[in-house]
Amino acid sequence: MRSRAGIALALAALPLASCGGGGDAPGGPGPKTVGVAFETLQTEYWVVSFESIKGELEGRGFTVLEAIADGDANRQFEQVQGFIARGVDGIIVAPKDAKTVIPMIRAANRAGIPMVLYNRPPADSSAEAVTIVADNYAIARETVSHMARLAAEAGGAHKAMILIGDLADQNAVDRRRGFDDAIEEHGGGIEVVAEIPTEWNQEKALAGVTNALQADPGIDFIFTSSDFLFPSLVSALRSAGKYEKVGEPGHVILGGFDGDATAYRMLRDGYLDADGVQDLGFESEQTVRALADLIAGEEVPPVIEDEGFVIHQGNLDEMAPRMWGAGVGGD
Amino acid sequence: MPMRFPGVGPPRAALLLRSEHLVLLLSAAAALAFWAAVPGFASGRNAANVLQNTLPLLALAIGQSFVLIGGGIDLSVTASIALASVVGASIMTGDGGPLAGHPMAVPAAVAAMLGVGGAMGGINGLSATRLGMPPFMVTLATLTAGGGLAVWYTKSQKIYELPDAFVGVSYGSVLGVPPAAVLVAALAVVAHVALSRTLFGRWLYASGMNPRAAEVSGVPVGRVTAASYVVSGLCAAIGAILYTSRLETGSPEIAPRILLDVIAACVIGGTSLFGGRGGVRRTAYGVLFIAVIDNGLNLMNLSNFAIMIVKGGVILLAALLDSARARAAGRA
């Protein structure tokens, strides 16, 4: 069988021997190729973003390569290395966190391939990439400020809870900071009694909220750092008999962040008070525009911010057309 | 209508099926197909990339092969990786590690990582042999507990600021080759020799093939089986060293979904899930096959869902092929 193995190895080596260079050299003729590597498609936000970015790229005549890492930073690293080896003209990454993306940016830098980070900024380093990110701090702060005004109108003391995301994700850190500062600015009357670390995981959110509501049934002010945790939050509130509409006795002041279809439905049905919305259309359009500019050799600022907006019961009809979740067919 | 190839009769087909090089041939066939379909697949750079991607997976699959040959299974690999990653990183991190900046930081951290992997393997091995618990349940329990321990140890925080000497395992160069490649090549050679040229290797095959017969023949089945889990734990620690240095991050979720690829690589290579059959070379072929498929599919202009479906289908076909081989070998 040794001869057979030799033949097999020779066959495997054939393609390598016949073209030792790269694939399509970046900047070569023909349609340009862009690799899009997303950490996850776990939530609506990521799915809609992914489709939206692909649509924008194809609209500009790019060939798109897809890769989803399923929450595994190592897999994402391999996928990005694969794009680089293939000789793509540009790479878009929605990274898992701020730090593990740095080796990926460095690899792209070494290969001279422009990279744009979608939605999550990298940690400080010498690696160069353009980041498109929502102003998480400001949007969270405005959302929670609106909730605090509602609490003040209702009068009395309030007990607050926040669902925190994965603290390795800068966005989760900024949203928490926005929450804390809004509560502090409000100047008393709201005491934060529970912080639930969810690590962006629905099961952990459900267990944490359930325990917190049992430990302190007086909680009447809840902000979740992401709308995709609403199903867990609502389930725990229902179990505790605390899921009531705005204006009804026992209503818990609720706020969220993202602007997904569940949040839109809860706003429309009168359960949700306020939601900080990321302007997903703007973010995906800017991501593709930035990459196209980089590929064309133009200067692009290192960070492009989406200012987002707060949607609430008072401006629902006016702002709903700009809320991406309102167009996702939330029944 | 059965297909007939001139000059290849049934005996040859059976011979090919039984050949331990079959999966290498399949990898070559897949590589040729991708070469035709995917621009850039056959570049030297991509080949180097595929080989580099196989390194951690190969280390893990070698460890799993030892356990499978001995008739067990180790599901706790990802927990061992996570625990080793966070313990090692916490020792050497410049961000408050007890040995930050110390010249012994990296050796001490690597030793601690190997210690964690070995200890996880020891717990698995002793529980499976001394306490007579089913390996599936034991390693499922240590997977859950070890994963929980890693999260508790770090409070879910990732650990950064790792020393350059450690990151150099993946990004450095020894005669133009990353130290990671040298490490895994050495591991593969040692593992191959241990399985094919030593008494321990013969005992392990005998224990996996028929533990009772082996026991009667004087093989210390319990000790040999327990040792195979320790080997798997040590290999998981080596995987953790490679993953942690590559991402420059210690994390309790460093390679959360690698287990399926590890077991698939072993089985595709021809290591039996029923014990007593397999080897390092076969496993290496299986790892190569998975890496080629993964890389090629990622570089094709396919949707992510199509990639997942094709990859699942290919693994299923390989498993079917494995049972055909077992039949061809007269061991249904």
Side-chain angles (χ1 to χ4, degrees):
Chain A
M1 284 315 295
R2 287 195 189 284
S3 60
R4 284 180 196 278
I7 291 165
L9 280 170
L11 282 174
L14 247 181
L16 307 183
S18 62
C19 38
D24 293 343
K32 297 209 177 291
T33 304
V34 170
V36 183
F38 263 49
E39 176 250 320
T40 179
L41 288 183
Q42 183 197 11
T43 73
E44 250 173 55
Y45 175 81
W46 296 116
V47 174
V48 176
S49 297
F50 190 66
E51 294 303 328
S52 182
I53 285 173
K54 273 197 327 187
E56 291 274 349
L57 284 167
E58 281 158 2
R60 286 172 175 259
F62 287 109
T63 302
V64 181
L65 298 178
E66 302 179 19
I68 309 299
D70 246 351
D72 185 339
N74 261 295
R75 186 170 288 271
Q76 185 164 64
F77 177 90
E78 290 176 4
Q79 289 167 337
V80 169
Q81 291 281 23
F83 289 156
I84 292 169
R86 156 101 194 238
V88 296
D89 298 279
I91 299 174
I92 292 170
V93 179
K96 181 157 176 61
D97 62 68
K99 285 278 190 172
T100 49
V101 73
I102 301 285
M104 304 175 208
I105 306 174
R106 283 207 199 106
N109 287 170
R110 280 194 298 270
I113 298 172
M115 183 183 273
V116 175
L117 267 53
Y118 178 80
N119 187 269
R120 284 181 182 153
D124 288 337
S125 79
S126 56
E128 288 177 18
V130 169
T131 305
I132 313 296
V133 63
D135 189 342
N136 287 276
Y137 170 77
I139 299 171
R141 188 167 132 176
E142 279 176 47
T143 307
V144 179
S145 290
H146 180 84
M147 293 165 66
R149 281 193 292 276
L150 295 176
E153 284 165 19
H158 295 272
K159 290 185 170 183
M161 166 160 74
I162 174 177
L163 280 68
I164 299 166
D166 179 351
L167 292 177
D169 172 3
Q170 188 57 42
N171 295 352
V173 175
D174 289 345
R175 291 172 200 179
R176 179 197 193 167
R177 232 171 17 99
F179 171 88
D180 287 343
D181 287 2
I183 297 286
E184 198 176 328
E185 267 170 29
H186 182 64
I190 302 174
E191 182 198 359
V192 181
V193 295
E195 294 188 337
I196 311 299
T198 69
E199 292 165 47
W200 297 140
N201 176 309
Q202 287 182 315
E203 291 78 16
K204 285 187 173 140
L206 179 60
V209 173
T210 304
N211 293 340
L213 290 174
Q214 275 174 350
D216 198 335
I219 290 171
D220 59 357
F221 183 108
I222 303 176
F223 173 72
T224 170
S225 298
S226 172
D227 289 347
F228 97 96
L229 298 171
F230 269 131
S232 301
L233 179 55
V234 169
S235 166
L237 284 168
R238 274 191 210 280
S239 302
K242 294 169 72 78
Y243 192 55
E244 304 294 345
K245 288 188 178 182
V246 174
E248 288 182 354
H251 169 68
V252 172
I253 296 172
L254 287 181
F257 193 110
D258 274 344
D260 78 3
T262 304
Y264 174 67
R265 201 165 51 242
M266 287 170 65
L267 277 162
R268 207 189 50 202
D269 295 348
Y271 288 97
L272 180 61
D273 292 276
D275 200 50
V277 180
Q278 304 196 63
D279 194 339
L280 193 148
F282 171 86
E283 287 179 21
S284 50
E285 192 266 334
Q286 287 293 321
T287 298
V288 173
R289 176 185 300 241
L291 190 69
D293 288 351
L294 288 170
I295 290 171
E298 292 170 28
E299 285 282 314
V300 179
V303 178
I304 296 169
E305 271 199 339
D306 159 25
E307 292 177 1
F309 58 90
V310 180
I311 189 166
H312 50 78
Q313 294 296 337
N315 67 3
L316 182 54
D317 291 338
E318 176 199 349
M319 300 309 276
R322 286 182 55 199
M323 182 180 186
W324 60 270
V328 183
D331 76 9
Chain B
M1 168 120 189
M3 286 173 71
R4 288 255 178 252
F5 298 100
V8 181
R12 281 227 185 147
L15 208 62
L16 184 63
L17 262 184
R18 282 209 299 270
S19 160
E20 69 171 301
H21 302 298
L22 174 67
V23 180
L24 181 64
L25 287 166
L26 290 176
S27 301
L32 283 170
F34 284 128
W35 176 40
V38 181
F41 175 81
S43 67
R45 180 171 191 150
N46 194 49
N49 186 34
V50 170
L51 289 175
Q52 252 180 316
N53 286 351
T54 61
L55 295 175
L57 183 59
L58 180 56
L60 301 172
I62 286 171
Q64 188 73 240
S65 298
F66 273 73
V67 175
L68 291 174
I69 289 167
I73 190 161
D74 184 358
L75 304 179
S76 69
V77 171
T78 52
S80 301
I81 295 169
L83 209 48
S85 173
V86 298
V87 168
S90 70
I91 289 171
M92 61 186 155
T93 175
D95 186 11
L99 293 180
H102 194 282
M104 286 306 289
V106 173
V110 167
M113 290 165 101
L114 292 168
V116 167
M120 284 282 283
I123 293 168
N124 287 334
L126 289 176
S127 306
T129 55
R130 289 289 166 87
L131 305 178
M133 295 161 75
F136 190 94
M137 286 310 297
V138 171
T139 56
L140 195 59
T142 47
L143 167 70
T144 311
L149 199 57
V151 170
W152 170 82
Y153 182 77
T154 54
K155 305 288 179 289
S156 286
Q157 298 295 299
K158 295 181 172 65
I159 302 166
Y160 309 119
E161 312 291 332
L162 304 184
D164 291 342
F166 181 76
V167 172
V169 171
S170 287
Y171 294 102
S173 171
V174 180
L175 303 174
V177 179
V182 178
L183 180 68
V184 175
L187 170 70
V189 170
V190 170
H192 177 71
V193 170
L195 281 177
S196 59
R197 305 278 159 85
T198 66
L199 183 61
F200 168 76
R202 283 203 297 279
W203 280 351
L204 189 64
Y205 282 104
S207 304
M209 187 77 76
N210 188 334
R212 288 209 175 165
E215 195 86 63
V216 170
S217 317
V219 175
V221 173
R223 272 187 296 158
V224 169
T225 308
S228 72
Y229 284 95
V230 174
V231 171
S232 178
L234 290 171
C235 288
I238 290 170
I241 291 166
L242 302 185
Y243 283 132
T244 306
S245 70
R246 193 164 84 168
L247 286 182
E248 305 173 32
T249 305
S251 164
E253 46 166 20
I254 190 101
R257 297 185 223 302
I258 201 71
L259 179 67
L260 181 65
D261 278 4
V262 171
I263 292 178
C266 292
V267 174
I268 287 170
T271 295
S272 170
L273 282 170
F274 304 103
R277 187 162 56 93
V280 172
R281 197 165 25 185
R282 287 170 182 257
T283 295
Y285 293 163
V287 168
L288 182 66
F289 184 76
I290 291 249
V292 166
I293 295 287
D294 235 356
N295 175 268
L297 288 174
N298 263 324
L299 296 185
M300 283 179 94
N301 198 4
L302 288 175
S303 83
N304 178 59
F305 307 109
I307 290 172
M308 283 159 63
I309 291 165
V310 171
K311 190 177 167 186
V314 166
I315 291 176
L316 195 63
L317 277 175
L320 276 173
L321 198 65
D322 182 52
S323 39
R325 284 156 80 175
R327 278 198 300 276
R331 293 187 54 208

